[in-house]
Amino acid sequence: MIVLLCLGTVYSWSIFRTPLENELGISATASLLPYTFVLVFYAIFMPITGFYIPRLGTRKITAVGGIIVGLGYILSSFATNVGTLIFTYGVITGIGIGIVYGVPMAVVARWFPDKKGLAMGLTIIGFGLSPLITAPLANHLISVYTVRPTLRLLGIVFTLVILTISLTMKFPPRGWQPPQKITNTETILTPVYPQNLFKTRSFYGLWICYIIGALVGLSAIGISSPVGQEIININPNVAAGSVSLFALFNGVSRPLFGWLADKFKPHHIAILSYVLILIACILMINAQTGQVATYLIAFCLFWFCLGGWLAMAPTMTLRFFDPDQYAQNYGIIFTAYGMGALIGTLVTGRVRDLFGSYTYAFYPMGLLAIIGIIVACTLLKKEGSASATFSRK
């Protein structure tokens, strides 16, 4: 949880945007580019690392990734133009996050095979709750030291914290299972998983649903503070404080949606998230200056649903496909997150520059939510559920 809390500082990027725009003289689109690149490279290196976790070990990968994350922040503090910032923060930090992110999730999936969704949701709550701590912290540090020294300080702290915690990252012994009470008459169901996830409709359903959830959620996160200031006309300090509230919803949703994904059919939970997104879009399309409650409710829902998808997607991956291949399989599924980040952040920044308002970004978000409902109903269903073997203990 603590490692993911450090990594989740990327969700506080909206706090850095305005100071960087003023200091470097860049547009809204340009200030979103480092955030876009960090999410894309994070998504690219997440699946690559998944194939190396069994070979190189969880501790070594966590330590290497932590050093790269800290290096990216420290080098960003010396950036004098947006191009350098894209490379240092977007590329280097993104690579480090991608290397580290999958390790705690792979570890916890092995230690809690009987409560996968809830356990992973509780673990990645650190990533979602990060802005609750890091957004006001960064805002305070920026006001005291300015933006670039703040990046340097955060880089040093993150390196030390992740290196220390990397020592605790280890898998249980091979074949380990938690203690279970089994009677002589109890029947154990051993599911049969598809050999090739690319040949299943559930893979494409999950990938499309995930890209929609990520695209809308990450777009909303990237513009949270500017929307509050420009559309609702709240002051920057209140906007920064509201990000902490949104982060709370983003964090709480992870164990909740993880638990729901354990208990209910995947497509039902996906539809629930899209309905909430649609409600948030309608609220923001009709939002007017001074309607702070409307703004808070809508963005709480956006952050809530993104956190939900970051718990649902890994849980559904474990449910649909072989858990022993989880790191590799979820790495492939996770490319949807990167695609959603790339498309969403670029489009929202462009909308602001072209139309002069972020309001118009919520129309396509609402349309995507409707598409997500349709895809979830038709494709997001487990295949071969009837194919199973039975054994008696």
Side-chain angles (χ1 to χ4, degrees):
M1 288 175 68
I2 295 172
V3 168
L4 289 170
L5 187 143
C6 294
L7 303 183
T9 306
V10 293
Y11 287 162
S12 299
W13 181 249
S14 61
I15 302 300
F16 295 91
R17 283 184 63 200
T18 301
L20 287 170
E21 286 173 14
N22 295 334
E23 190 164 322
L24 302 179
I26 56 178
S27 66
T29 300
S31 70
L32 271 174
L33 288 176
Y35 173 68
T36 302
F37 273 78
V38 77
L39 296 178
V40 170
F41 276 84
Y42 151 38
I44 290 172
F45 275 79
M46 163 76 173
I48 294 173
T49 307
F51 287 92
Y52 287 95
I53 289 176
R55 302 176 191 177
L56 300 180
T58 51
R59 295 175 180 177
K60 186 181 296 184
I61 287 180
T62 305
V64 171
I67 292 170
I68 296 173
V69 168
L71 182 64
Y73 273 89
I74 293 168
L75 292 177
S76 296
S77 69
F78 297 100
T80 57
N81 57 72
V82 71
T84 304
L85 196 61
I86 288 170
F87 177 71
T88 55
Y89 185 84
V91 177
I92 296 177
T93 301
I95 289 172
I97 294 172
I99 291 172
V100 178
Y101 181 83
V103 178
M105 298 174 69
V107 169
V108 78
R110 295 278 187 93
W111 280 105
F112 300 95
D114 53 335
K115 298 181 179 67
K116 300 182 184 76
L118 179 60
M120 284 200 293
L122 287 170
T123 302
I124 62 174
I125 196 174
F127 205 84
L129 286 180
S130 178
L132 185 64
I133 299 170
T134 58
L137 175 63
N139 194 54
H140 173 71
L141 291 174
I142 290 170
S143 67
V144 175
Y145 302 109
T146 71
V147 65
R148 287 191 283 183
T150 296
L151 289 167
R152 191 177 312 137
L153 180 60
L154 291 175
I156 294 169
V157 172
F158 293 161
T159 302
L160 295 175
V161 170
I162 297 174
L163 277 177
T164 302
I165 295 179
S166 68
L167 300 174
T168 70
M169 289 288 136
K170 63 178 182 178
F171 286 132
R174 190 170 184 82
W176 178 87
Q177 290 290 329
Q180 294 178 337
K181 294 180 181 180
I182 303 175
T183 64
N184 291 332
T185 59
E186 191 171 346
T187 300
I188 298 177
L189 179 65
T190 305
V192 175
Y193 298 97
Q195 295 296 314
N196 189 338
L197 75 166
F198 292 108
K199 295 182 178 180
T200 64
R201 69 175 183 177
S202 54
F203 164 73
Y204 295 100
L206 178 54
W207 197 88
I208 294 169
C209 286
Y210 197 11
I211 195 174
I212 292 173
L215 191 157
V216 174
L218 292 170
S219 298
I221 281 179
I223 63 176
S224 297
S225 186
V227 164
Q229 295 176 55
E230 295 183 16
I231 297 178
I232 310 300
N233 199 27
I234 58 180
N235 69 59
N237 289 332
V238 175
S242 66
V243 171
S244 298
L245 174 64
F246 304 149
L248 180 63
F249 278 80
N250 184 267
V252 169
S253 67
R254 297 174 188 229
L256 175 59
F257 273 94
W259 177 79
L260 290 172
D262 278 337
K263 299 293 182 182
F264 300 98
K265 292 181 179 179
H267 64 283
H268 290 163
I269 311 306
I271 291 169
L272 171 63
S273 75
Y274 292 134
V275 169
L276 295 176
I277 287 172
L278 194 57
I279 292 171
C281 290
I282 293 171
L283 288 174
M284 285 311 302
I285 287 170
N286 294 285
Q288 303 294 325
T289 300
Q291 294 182 342
V292 178
T294 299
Y295 162 71
L296 293 178
I297 292 170
F299 274 83
C300 282
L301 289 176
F302 283 130
W303 286 61
F304 183 78
C305 291
L306 177 65
W309 271 106
L310 286 164
M312 283 189 288
T315 304
M316 291 176 187
T317 301
L318 285 165
R319 189 166 177 174
F320 290 156
F321 311 110
D322 187 357
D324 290 337
Q325 301 295 318
Y326 165 74
Q328 297 92 321
N329 290 339
Y330 184 58
I332 295 168
I333 296 291
F334 195 75
T335 57
Y337 179 96
M339 190 66 70
L342 178 63
I343 298 172
T345 54
L346 288 177
V347 169
T348 51
R350 190 62 178 162
V351 166
R352 167 65 178 81
D353 289 339
L354 286 176
F355 299 100
S357 173
Y358 284 112
T359 300
Y360 296 97
F362 298 106
Y363 289 95
M365 289 183 190
L367 178 61
L368 285 171
I370 295 171
I371 294 172
I373 292 172
I374 296 170
V375 173
C377 289
T378 55
L379 298 179
L380 196 61
K381 298 178 181 179
K382 187 172 182 178
E383 298 174 48
S385 57
S387 299
T389 59
F390 294 87
S391 62
R392 298 238 178 223
K393 294 282 185 182

